[in-house]
Amino acid sequence: MAAVSPHPFDPLRPEEISRASRIVRPHFGGQDPNFRVITLLEPSKKEMIPFLEKEHHKQPAGHVPTRYARVEVVIKGSDGKNQLFELIVDLDNDRVTRKQHIKGKHSYIDADYMKAVEAACLGNEEVQAEIRTLNLPAGATVVVEPWAYATDGVNDMTDRVTMCWFYLRLLENPDANYYAYPLDVCAEVSEKLEVTKVYRLPTKPSERINNEKKPFDRRKIHSTAASEYHPDLRPNPRTTTKPYQVVQPEGPSFRIQGNQLKWEKWSFRVGFNYREGLTLHDIRYDGRSCFYRLSLAEMFVPYGDPRAPYPRKAAFDLGNDGAGINANNLQLGCDCLGTIKYFDAYHNTPSGEPLKMPNVVCCHEQDDGILWKHTNFRTQNPVVTRSRILVLQTIITVSNYEYIFAWHFRQDASIFYEVRATGILSTVPTDVDVKEKIPYGTVVAPGVLAPYHQHLFSLRIDPAIDGPFNSLVIDESKPLPVGDPSVHNPFGVGYVTESQMIEEEGGFDLDFTKNRDFKFVNEKKINPITGTPVGFKLLPAYSQMLLSHPDSYHAKRSEFADHAVWITRYEDYDFFPAGKYTMQSTGGDGLASAIARRRNNGTTQSIRDQDIVIWHTFGSTHNPRIEDWPVMPNEKLMVGLKPVNFFSGNPSLDVAVSTQDKNKSVLYNGDEEKAACCPSRL
Amino acid sequence: MAAVSPHPFDPLRPEEISRASRIVRPHFGGQDPNFRVITLLEPSKKEMIPFLEKEHHKQPAGHVPTRYARVEVVIKGSDGKNQLFELIVDLDNDRVTRKQHIKGKHSYIDADYMKAVEAACLGNEEVQAEIRTLNLPAGATVVVEPWAYATDGVNDMTDRVTMCWFYLRLLENPDANYYAYPLDVCAEVSEKLEVTKVYRLPTKPSERINNEKKPFDRRKIHSTAASEYHPDLRPNPRTTTKPYQVVQPEGPSFRIQGNQLKWEKWSFRVGFNYREGLTLHDIRYDGRSCFYRLSLAEMFVPYGDPRAPYPRKAAFDLGNDGAGINANNLQLGCDCLGTIKYFDAYHNTPSGEPLKMPNVVCCHEQDDGILWKHTNFRTQNPVVTRSRILVLQTIITVSNYEYIFAWHFRQDASIFYEVRATGILSTVPTDVDVKEKIPYGTVVAPGVLAPYHQHLFSLRIDPAIDGPFNSLVIDESKPLPVGDPSVHNPFGVGYVTESQMIEEEGGFDLDFTKNRDFKFVNEKKINPITGTPVGFKLLPAYSQMLLSHPDSYHAKRSEFADHAVWITRYEDYDFFPAGKYTMQSTGGDGLASAIARRRNNGTTQSIRDQDIVIWHTFGSTHNPRIEDWPVMPNEKLMVGLKPVNFFSGNPSLDVAVSTQDKNKSVLYNGDEEKAACCPSRL
């Protein structure tokens, strides 16, 4: 047992995971449960608010919330089909407090099962026969990439269906990029690991069914220099990039106790779970509450190719795959630069034992250029401070793609959330001979189409601006009218802001043409100087919303992707803007449905000056460039949270001025005088 | 004489500045010319294209463009009024090739003249009488801040008019923040340094004329901790920020010869002039031409308070003030971190001698996190590269405000332009007693209103995508229709891109809801793999455009601020989207007028596959937060330029993998085990 009790926000400890599975196992008799999830059930906010109040006032804890685990178990039913159960386990009293059979839903993707699907697919004679028709190059290896089936209405969704996409690894090296050789074979595998369908993929722009069964076109074979990213398979790398090191002679500026982090007036707790990955809790600046919880809540990646079966490519990378379970083991000096604190996480094995996931989060500081500067032009005296940021980074690999997620804390009390998309494009085969432009993607190599797709993220923001009861205000900047005798605007240059307090749950759109601002305010706390409620505002990432038709399964399944900003009333465990179970979901589980349900059953209440949650949908319509191939230079997206009339002035005003004594920069006087820069005219 | 001839893009050298003034002086007889500008007249593009071709192919130069200076001179006319002349000087043949009297226009702000205005204003008896009515605290100093007059139609614009705003410096220290004490006195000073009007400013929301002449309200006096930014005037700074140093043991990755910079396959030339400040020329990646010239072309800062005389606050910070002339002398270890190359610039004194401006540009590298990463989930082998960026930074101080401008070059062949706004808000006085919300600004201290305003930048992009002849394409991502039998979209998820080639000059708006992309392409160069023209795209900063009424002087004077993207046909010396002479301009000199003029006089030609220029308008509607006071933590804006199907793959694919051996990161194992994180429950 650990010497110190966990904080209520701390993820489950290894011994708690073991304990939970020990408590759960007897509830399934002699059956062998497949433990998919053993994770912290976060305490209710009602319990946590007084707990945190006491904690921050250094008072005795009093009531400590019970420690609960949420457990997902899959059992083989008497009909041979999988049954999903959710259990709530009271770890303080060693008992199961709830056991629920979740009918008609699936747990997230099971990596072991996916391996079995691969093996079943490759072992199938019909598949092998189809492969033989391809007449593949000798020595090449067929690679099967199983994907969760995105609901398209064709199959009954009671059972799991797996789509198997085929690629060719031309080289022996197992790190060779097989996405460079997509094959036009496709197979569907059932829950029971039966291959239920084998067919060829369309390879022409307007093709609906590919009946040609052409062999693999040798003209698709191209240089490894163009398609490989692994250094073992590439020519020598460039040598011009000189080393760049970060030195912190007095150590980092952060302090860490358990999962609590303190840095430059910020304090918060680091959480982690299999699904959302990194979560942040109880975020305060200079002791004042700003946010109760921040997390990436969901992510939807639908592909835009209308030809069957491509509409089945649409991934919920959190709900289906899990940002936690797919988090990388980050390596010192590779993924992070400087003085690095790593956080480990614990998941569980199928048998319910703790599974250590080392280094899933790295924490470090970065220099971010100038924080603020002013030169008094009368005295010519400059005052300049440098901006330091604290970064908490986690990276996930979801098959071909990677996402780099990073929270940035700044000294000026702003928080930014950065997403970088990198990794390898998911490719499909196309005919080398097709001359017309394929309207659904970009040809990135001979016979390789990188299809258009979207990445739509949902960032869940649970504000606690000086307390749990907040309101959402939408501000716009509007010109004053001209020619209206009741309005003083003689020169036509006046403008004002108009504010709308949001009274009901709903979804809203961005409009930069109106300078539309979304602010979370505490109407009860008025800034004594500005005379306005204290608040934070969202700096959104302007993004196209979902392109799929509202009646499509894509749209029904990803309701959050319809508007950029949603506001809902806080409810415990309401973390899922596309529903709790997204695997083969059929829709109606998302934000819009929940709001409509509450409206229809009369439980809607005003959300003004209430405990509210803001969900920001953002992302990219990713129509690939060839520059994204064979591995994509990161594409950044940035969302921000900034105080607005929350403090009584610039919170970073007390940052010490920047000095060479501390920064030890080096003057470069290199080769500039050496040679002529252009042919002499003399 | 220098040993090496200047490159045609090099700014004038000191001896060239002296030579130009020597050549010009005799053209004004016995008069004493005030040399406002002696700057390089950049060679015509027609001459430069063959010159650059030869240079890059290492062929003998052949014809070298003549070295010309552009000179602005102000002469006191026989009527006692200033006359502005522009002269073109052939420095190779020591002669003036053009001399033009620019009637009815003013050169940019003359700092010496502004000092004289201050002195004249403070020396005026009417001003002093008005100050006496304020009954100011003993020992306080009145500070006069002269501003260029923004045309409002009230005054004849033939002569210069200067607006004098009054502030109080309460403390003896000359670096005390007098913007914390705006006074309600205002004066107007004529070209001849006569005070033509003294009056009181409105201090109530709907006030039009302030006839109260109240004394200075002592309740406005507040703590220095809230209003001072200079460390000498503040409590001790925070001590938690530990030193952070950048070490480059093998030196930087860039190479510099004269003004040519080479870094990670990039090459370009650094230019600098009094008006635009930093300019970039002949930008190539891996030897291929990308851009002919990149520069910030203009900047407009109109204030939104409709009450006279505030509509006269609207600054063209490039045209009126000059981004070059106001560039900071950057200090090692303060403004820049790491191994720093500084560039100096030369302006001229009023008497025509060279004036050295040291360290106006700093050049250094930064680590930018991960460039690209992929982990093969089958082998668990990660490959990760770190992103290095090259930064060219320049900082300007324009009275109260500062702007930090930085070009970022990335290894993936993208370029970003970052603007950070910092410095001190321009303040106006307001009544302490007013209880109603003032709709034109934010109260940041007792009696201090920080008015709403906009910052609107114009970034001039002269593309040369594989050559000078390019086209602008607007792409949008559009859902395929559902239910149209001629379109295959059975699942409602298909989408395609639609492209529109722009045929005529004009202004365009952004629309993220359509994923509207602006691409500059070379229609004659087809990417052999993608089958599409090679190009770059603009990553715009989504911003509200000008709020002033189209009939207002603000709008007429800042035509570029009406649309986010403009395309014009390239013309030599067409660098000014709000006109060449913006000081007290009356409008009709901007982009829209030039386009209309060409359309009306029949000289419009197709701009498709022609030499084109793209102008991106972006900025912020800055409704101050109290957090921006007394000095503003930087607010960042970012614009990008990214290759789109320009290369044959990821240009940064050959960047070496990241290794701890080179990066020398440090593992932090600090204080985490030391203490309990919460009250023990045991």
Side-chain angles (χ1 to χ4, degrees):
Chain A
M1 271 191 74
V4 175
S5 297
H7 186 277
F9 285 139
D10 281 354
L12 292 188
R13 294 179 173 185
E15 67 274 13
E16 293 179 312
I17 291 171
S18 303
R19 182 139 38 106
S21 66
R22 276 201 310 275
I23 298 166
V24 162
R25 195 169 279 108
H27 288 260
F28 292 96
Q31 285 175 297
D32 190 23
N34 174 356
F35 286 94
R36 303 302 327 286
V37 175
I38 303 178
T39 192
L40 175 72
L41 183 80
E42 292 177 23
S44 74
K45 199 187 269 196
K46 203 174 140 190
E47 285 182 292
M48 281 309 291
I49 286 171
F51 179 90
L52 294 172
E53 274 307 294
K54 287 180 182 133
E55 182 186 5
H56 287 283
H57 289 94
K58 303 200 189 304
Q59 294 165 355
H63 172 71
V64 176
T66 305
R67 195 80 175 153
Y68 287 108
R70 190 176 79 78
V71 178
E72 274 182 30
V73 153
V74 169
I75 297 288
K76 191 75 75 183
S78 51
D79 58 355
K81 291 189 175 178
N82 284 327
Q83 297 181 336
L84 174 64
F85 288 86
E86 186 189 71
L87 302 98
I88 306 301
V89 180
D90 174 344
L91 293 168
D92 290 348
N93 301 293
D94 286 4
R95 63 195 176 98
V96 169
T97 61
R98 199 176 74 201
K99 178 186 174 188
Q100 201 181 351
H101 181 188
I102 312 292
K103 285 178 187 157
K105 305 282 187 186
H106 304 279
S107 187
Y108 70 104
I109 289 172
D110 185 334
D112 290 340
Y113 175 76
M114 286 306 209
K115 276 183 202 150
V117 167
E118 260 185 74
C121 185
L122 277 170
N124 177 273
E125 185 38 46
E126 194 185 345
V127 167
Q128 285 299 330
E130 197 68 48
I131 290 173
R132 279 192 294 275
T133 67
L134 291 171
N135 181 28
L136 296 175
T141 306
V142 173
V143 179
V144 169
E145 194 100 325
W147 274 46
Y149 176 98
T151 312
D152 63 353
V154 174
N155 284 287
D156 171 16
M157 292 294 95
T158 317
D159 288 357
R160 267 188 299 188
V161 179
T162 305
M163 297 299 296
C164 288
W165 313 102
F166 287 67
Y167 298 89
L168 201 62
R169 207 183 68 223
L170 265 186
L171 309 177
E172 208 175 321
N173 187 316
D175 281 314
N177 179 15
Y178 50 82
Y179 300 109
Y181 299 101
L183 300 175
D184 62 352
V185 173
C186 186
E188 296 173 30
V189 175
S190 75
E191 175 75 59
K192 293 176 182 170
L193 297 176
E194 288 158 347
V195 174
T196 51
K197 200 170 172 188
V198 182
Y199 52 102
R200 300 295 274 266
L201 294 171
T203 60
K204 293 185 181 62
S206 49
E207 193 172 37
R208 299 186 187 193
I209 297 162
N210 174 348
N211 288 318
E212 291 190 84
K213 291 185 185 280
K214 280 199 214 167
F216 178 77
D217 188 339
R218 262 58 180 173
R219 289 173 301 170
K220 292 185 176 183
I221 298 175
H222 56 280
S223 85
T224 57
S227 66
E228 299 299 340
Y229 69 94
H230 196 283
D232 292 352
L233 299 168
R234 290 199 38 82
N236 286 335
R238 64 170 86 172
T239 55
T240 47
T241 326
K242 303 295 177 201
Y244 182 104
Q245 296 153 8
V246 168
V247 173
Q248 299 189 260
E250 298 175 22
S253 315
F254 51 76
R255 283 178 47 222
I256 295 171
Q257 288 192 330
N259 279 34
Q260 190 182 42
L261 214 149
K262 292 187 177 179
W263 177 83
E264 294 291 278
K265 300 191 178 177
W266 283 107
S267 76
F268 56 88
R269 287 184 180 277
V270 176
F272 197 92
N273 66 63
Y274 76 103
R275 179 166 175 155
E276 297 160 286
L278 176 60
T279 56
L280 301 177
H281 306 263
D282 190 25
I283 298 118
R284 293 174 190 242
Y285 188 92
D286 212 8
R288 282 174 71 187
S289 170
C290 303
F291 298 94
Y292 182 77
R293 191 182 195 275
L294 295 171
S295 58
L296 184 68
E298 194 49 274
M299 195 178 142
F300 188 49
V301 187
Y303 283 74
D305 193 327
R307 296 171 298 172
Y310 296 132
R312 294 178 183 176
K313 286 181 76 170
F316 286 99
D317 284 345
L318 267 63
N320 290 5
D321 292 87
I325 199 78
N326 289 297
N328 290 186
N329 177 348
L330 303 175
Q331 297 302 306
L332 190 69
C334 302
D335 296 298
C336 333
L337 186 72
T339 301
I340 317 294
K341 157 72 184 175
Y342 288 102
F343 289 90
D344 300 329
Y346 286 88
H347 188 59
N348 57 279
T349 65
S351 61
E353 291 312 305
L355 179 72
K356 185 173 178 175
M357 299 175 61
N359 292 9
V360 289
V361 174
C362 69
C363 166
H364 65 277
E365 290 178 89
Q366 285 177 9
D367 178 84
D368 183 43
I370 288 168
L371 173 58
W372 53 261
K373 179 173 187 178
H374 182 59
T375 301
N376 182 328
F377 73 88
R378 293 163 197 279
T379 63
Q380 287 296 317
N381 289 331
V383 179
V384 56
T385 59
R386 292 196 73 78
S387 171
R388 187 73 58 82
I389 56 177
L390 181 76
V391 179
L392 279 100
Q393 177 181 264
T394 183
I395 306 179
I396 68 169
T397 299
V398 192
S399 300
N400 53 298
Y401 242 57
E402 349 277 311
Y403 299 95
I404 302 170
F405 301 118
W407 289 100
H408 290 191
F409 288 82
R410 287 175 38 146
Q411 293 159 309
D412 66 0
S414 62
I415 302 176
F416 286 83
Y417 185 66
E418 188 196 76
V419 176
R420 299 188 184 199
T422 178
I424 301 184
L425 294 162
S426 177
T427 56
V428 300
T430 194
D431 256 13
V432 173
D433 284 325
V434 170
K435 285 285 165 275
E436 56 182 312
K437 159 102 179 90
I438 301 153
Y440 320 123
T442 305
V443 174
V444 293
V448 183
L449 187 72
Y452 294 167
H453 57 281
Q454 294 190 282
H455 301 263
L456 291 154
F457 302 88
S458 174
L459 188 69
R460 184 178 181 277
I461 301 159
D462 183 350
I465 311 297
D466 265 348
F469 295 120
N470 293 167
S471 304
L472 177 67
V473 192
I474 300 181
D475 267 6
E476 294 183 349
S477 296
K478 291 196 170 166
L480 287 172
V482 168
D484 177 342
S486 71
V487 176
H488 183 59
N489 187 25
F491 301 95
V493 306
Y495 80 86
V496 294
T497 53
E498 277 183 16
S499 293
Q500 187 197 354
M501 300 295 305
I502 303 304
E503 305 280 349
E504 285 186 19
E505 295 187 315
F508 300 88
D509 293 315
L510 305 177
D511 190 348
F512 66 88
T513 68
K514 298 190 168 68
N515 197 41
R516 187 178 290 167
D517 263 345
F518 292 82
K519 296 198 293 194
F520 336 124
V521 302
N522 187 327
E523 292 190 71
K524 295 246 165 61
K525 299 279 172 98
I526 302 301
N527 187 306
I529 301 166
T530 64
T532 55
V534 299
F536 268 68
K537 76 170 171 179
L538 176 71
L539 302 174
Y542 291 98
S543 324
Q544 189 174 37
M545 294 290 101
L546 185 74
L547 280 160
S548 304
H549 192 275
D551 293 340
S552 67
Y553 273 104
H554 284 7
K556 288 182 193 162
R557 300 175 73 211
S558 66
E559 292 176 353
F560 72 87
D562 192 32
H563 292 292
V565 180
W566 296 82
I567 175 169
T568 58
R569 202 177 162 100
Y570 175 88
E571 289 184 9
D572 285 334
Y573 319 124
D574 173 24
F575 295 135
F576 312 115
K580 190 167 175 181
Y581 299 99
T582 58
M583 271 285 280
Q584 301 186 184
S585 62
T586 52
D589 293 329
L591 284 179
S593 292
I595 293 171
R597 245 185 334 266
R598 287 190 284 268
R599 199 165 284 157
N600 292 338
N601 69 17
T603 59
T604 303
Q605 293 169 277
S606 166
I607 46 152
R608 195 164 160 183
D609 195 25
Q610 294 294 329
D611 192 355
I612 55 171
V613 176
I614 308 296
W615 314 73
H616 176 37
T617 308
F618 66 99
S620 72
T621 297
H622 185 188
N623 306 333
R625 312 172 296 156
I626 196 169
E627 286 81 4
D628 298 335
W629 178 257
V631 64
M632 189 178 153
N634 79 73
E635 187 167 323
K636 279 186 211 179
L637 295 163
M638 190 73 109
V639 175
L641 299 165
K642 264 196 180 181
V644 177
N645 303 329
F646 183 74
F647 296 98
S648 57
N650 175 354
S652 63
L653 185 58
D654 65 339
V655 171
V657 297
S658 174
T659 64
Q660 168 65 352
D661 181 46
K662 286 201 171 166
N663 294 333
K664 300 202 187 308
S665 287
V666 174
L667 187 66
Y668 175 79
N669 260 322
D671 44 11
E672 66 172 310
E673 312 298 342
K674 274 186 211 158
C677 57
C678 72
S680 173
R681 312 158 67 197
L682 302 176
Chain B
M1 267 190 81
V4 175
S5 297
H7 187 277
F9 285 140
D10 281 354
L12 292 188
R13 295 179 172 183
E15 67 274 13
E16 293 179 312
I17 292 171
S18 304
R19 184 142 34 109
S21 66
R22 275 202 310 274
I23 299 166
V24 163
R25 195 169 280 107
H27 287 262
F28 292 96
Q31 285 175 298
D32 192 23
N34 174 357
F35 285 94
R36 302 302 327 286
V37 175
I38 303 178
T39 193
L40 175 73
L41 183 79
E42 292 177 23
S44 74
K45 199 187 268 195
K46 204 175 139 190
E47 285 181 292
M48 282 310 291
I49 286 171
F51 179 89
L52 295 173
E53 275 308 295
K54 286 180 183 135
E55 181 184 5
H56 287 283
H57 289 94
K58 303 199 191 305
Q59 294 165 356
H63 172 70
V64 175
T66 305
R67 195 80 174 152
Y68 287 107
R70 191 177 79 77
V71 177
E72 275 182 29
V73 153
V74 170
I75 297 287
K76 190 75 75 182
S78 51
D79 59 354
K81 291 188 175 181
N82 285 326
Q83 296 182 336
L84 173 64
F85 287 87
E86 186 188 72
L87 301 98
I88 306 301
V89 180
D90 174 345
L91 293 168
D92 289 347
N93 301 293
D94 286 3
R95 62 194 176 99
V96 169
T97 61
R98 199 176 72 200
K99 177 186 174 187
Q100 202 180 352
H101 181 188
I102 312 291
K103 285 179 187 155
K105 305 282 187 188
H106 303 280
S107 187
Y108 71 102
I109 289 172
D110 185 333
D112 290 340
Y113 175 75
M114 285 307 210
K115 277 183 200 149
V117 167
E118 262 186 72
C121 186
L122 277 170
N124 177 272
E125 185 39 44
E126 195 185 346
V127 167
Q128 285 299 330
E130 197 68 48
I131 290 172
R132 280 192 295 274
T133 67
L134 292 170
N135 181 27
L136 296 175
T141 306
V142 173
V143 179
V144 169
E145 194 100 325
W147 274 46
Y149 176 99
T151 312
D152 63 355
V154 174
N155 285 286
D156 170 15
M157 292 294 95
T158 318
D159 289 356
R160 269 188 298 187
V161 180
T162 305
M163 297 298 297
C164 289
W165 312 101
F166 288 68
Y167 298 88
L168 201 62
R169 206 183 71 222
L170 266 185
L171 307 176
E172 207 174 322
N173 188 316
D175 281 313
N177 179 14
Y178 50 83
Y179 300 109
Y181 299 101
L183 300 175
D184 62 351
V185 172
C186 187
E188 297 173 28
V189 175
S190 74
E191 176 75 60
K192 292 177 183 169
L193 298 176
E194 288 158 348
V195 175
T196 49
K197 201 170 171 189
V198 182
Y199 52 103
R200 301 295 275 266
L201 295 171
T203 60
K204 292 184 183 63
S206 48
E207 194 171 37
R208 299 187 188 192
I209 296 163
N210 175 348
N211 287 320
E212 290 191 84
K213 291 185 183 279
K214 281 198 214 167
F216 178 77
D217 187 338
R218 262 55 181 177
R219 290 173 300 171
K220 293 186 175 182
I221 298 174
H222 55 280
S223 86
T224 56
S227 65
E228 299 298 342
Y229 69 94
H230 196 284
D232 292 352
L233 299 168
R234 290 198 39 82
N236 286 335
R238 64 170 85 174
T239 55
T240 48
T241 326
K242 303 295 179 204
Y244 182 104
Q245 295 152 9
V246 168
V247 173
Q248 298 189 258
E250 298 176 22
S253 315
F254 52 75
R255 283 178 47 223
I256 295 171
Q257 289 191 329
N259 279 34
Q260 190 182 41
L261 214 148
K262 291 187 178 181
W263 177 83
E264 293 292 277
K265 299 191 181 177
W266 284 107
S267 75
F268 57 87
R269 287 184 180 276
V270 176
F272 197 91
N273 66 63
Y274 76 103
R275 179 166 176 156
E276 297 160 286
L278 176 60
T279 56
L280 300 177
H281 305 262
D282 190 24
I283 297 118
R284 294 175 189 240
Y285 188 92
D286 211 8
R288 282 174 70 188
S289 171
C290 303
F291 298 94
Y292 183 78
R293 191 181 194 275
L294 294 171
S295 58
L296 183 68
E298 194 48 274
M299 194 178 143
F300 187 50
V301 187
Y303 284 75
D305 193 327
R307 296 172 297 173
Y310 295 131
R312 294 179 183 176
K313 286 181 77 171
F316 285 99
D317 285 345
L318 267 62
N320 290 5
D321 292 86
I325 199 77
N326 289 295
N328 290 186
N329 177 347
L330 303 174
Q331 297 302 305
L332 189 70
C334 302
D335 295 298
C336 332
L337 186 71
T339 300
I340 317 293
K341 156 72 184 177
Y342 287 102
F343 289 90
D344 300 329
Y346 286 88
H347 188 60
N348 57 279
T349 64
S351 61
E353 291 312 306
L355 178 71
K356 185 174 179 174
M357 300 177 61
N359 293 9
V360 287
V361 174
C362 69
C363 166
H364 65 278
E365 289 178 90
Q366 285 177 8
D367 178 84
D368 183 45
I370 287 168
L371 173 57
W372 53 261
K373 180 174 186 177
H374 183 58
T375 301
N376 182 328
F377 73 89
R378 294 163 197 279
T379 63
Q380 287 296 317
N381 289 331
V383 180
V384 56
T385 59
R386 293 196 73 79
S387 171
R388 186 74 57 81
I389 56 177
L390 181 76
V391 179
L392 279 100
Q393 177 182 264
T394 181
I395 307 180
I396 68 170
T397 299
V398 192
S399 299
N400 53 298
Y401 242 57
E402 349 276 313
Y403 299 94
I404 303 170
F405 301 117
W407 289 100
H408 291 191
F409 289 82
R410 287 175 39 146
Q411 292 159 308
D412 66 0
S414 61
I415 302 176
F416 286 83
Y417 185 66
E418 188 195 77
V419 175
R420 299 188 183 200
T422 177
I424 302 184
L425 295 162
S426 177
T427 56
V428 301
T430 194
D431 255 14
V432 174
D433 284 325
V434 171
K435 285 286 165 274
E436 56 180 312
K437 159 101 178 92
I438 301 152
Y440 320 122
T442 306
V443 175
V444 294
V448 183
L449 187 71
Y452 294 168
H453 57 282
Q454 293 190 284
H455 301 263
L456 290 154
F457 301 88
S458 174
L459 188 69
R460 184 177 181 277
I461 301 160
D462 183 350
I465 311 297
D466 265 347
F469 295 119
N470 293 167
S471 303
L472 177 68
V473 192
I474 300 181
D475 267 6
E476 295 184 348
S477 296
K478 292 196 169 165
L480 287 172
V482 168
D484 177 342
S486 71
V487 177
H488 183 59
N489 187 25
F491 301 96
V493 307
Y495 80 86
V496 294
T497 53
E498 278 183 17
S499 292
Q500 187 198 354
M501 299 295 306
I502 303 304
E503 305 281 350
E504 283 186 21
E505 296 186 315
F508 300 89
D509 294 314
L510 305 177
D511 190 348
F512 66 88
T513 69
K514 298 189 168 69
N515 197 42
R516 187 177 290 167
D517 263 345
F518 291 82
K519 296 198 295 195
F520 336 125
V521 302
N522 186 328
E523 292 190 71
K524 295 246 166 63
K525 299 278 173 103
I526 303 301
N527 186 304
I529 301 166
T530 63
T532 54
V534 299
F536 267 69
K537 75 170 171 180
L538 176 71
L539 302 173
Y542 291 98
S543 324
Q544 188 174 38
M545 295 290 100
L546 185 75
L547 280 161
S548 304
H549 191 276
D551 292 341
S552 68
Y553 272 104
H554 284 9
K556 288 182 194 162
R557 299 176 73 210
S558 66
E559 291 176 354
F560 71 88
D562 192 32
H563 293 292
V565 181
W566 296 82
I567 175 169
T568 58
R569 202 177 162 100
Y570 175 87
E571 288 184 9
D572 284 334
Y573 319 123
D574 173 25
F575 295 135
F576 312 114
K580 190 166 175 182
Y581 299 98
T582 58
M583 271 285 280
Q584 301 186 182
S585 62
T586 51
D589 293 329
L591 284 178
S593 293
I595 293 170
R597 244 187 331 267
R598 287 189 284 267
R599 199 165 284 158
N600 292 339
N601 69 17
T603 59
T604 303
Q605 292 170 278
S606 165
I607 46 152
R608 196 164 159 183
D609 195 26
Q610 293 296 329
D611 192 355
I612 55 171
V613 176
I614 308 296
W615 315 73
H616 177 36
T617 309
F618 66 100
S620 72
T621 298
H622 186 188
N623 306 332
R625 313 172 295 155
I626 195 170
E627 286 81 3
D628 297 335
W629 178 258
V631 64
M632 188 179 154
N634 79 72
E635 187 167 323
K636 279 186 212 180
L637 296 164
M638 190 73 108
V639 175
L641 299 165
K642 263 195 181 183
V644 178
N645 304 330
F646 183 74
F647 296 97
S648 57
N650 175 353
S652 63
L653 185 59
D654 64 339
V655 172
V657 298
S658 175
T659 64
Q660 168 65 353
D661 181 46
K662 286 201 171 166
N663 294 332
K664 301 204 188 305
S665 287
V666 173
L667 188 65
Y668 175 79
N669 260 323
D671 43 12
E672 67 171 311
E673 312 298 341
K674 275 187 210 157
C677 58
C678 72
S680 173
R681 314 158 67 197
L682 303 176

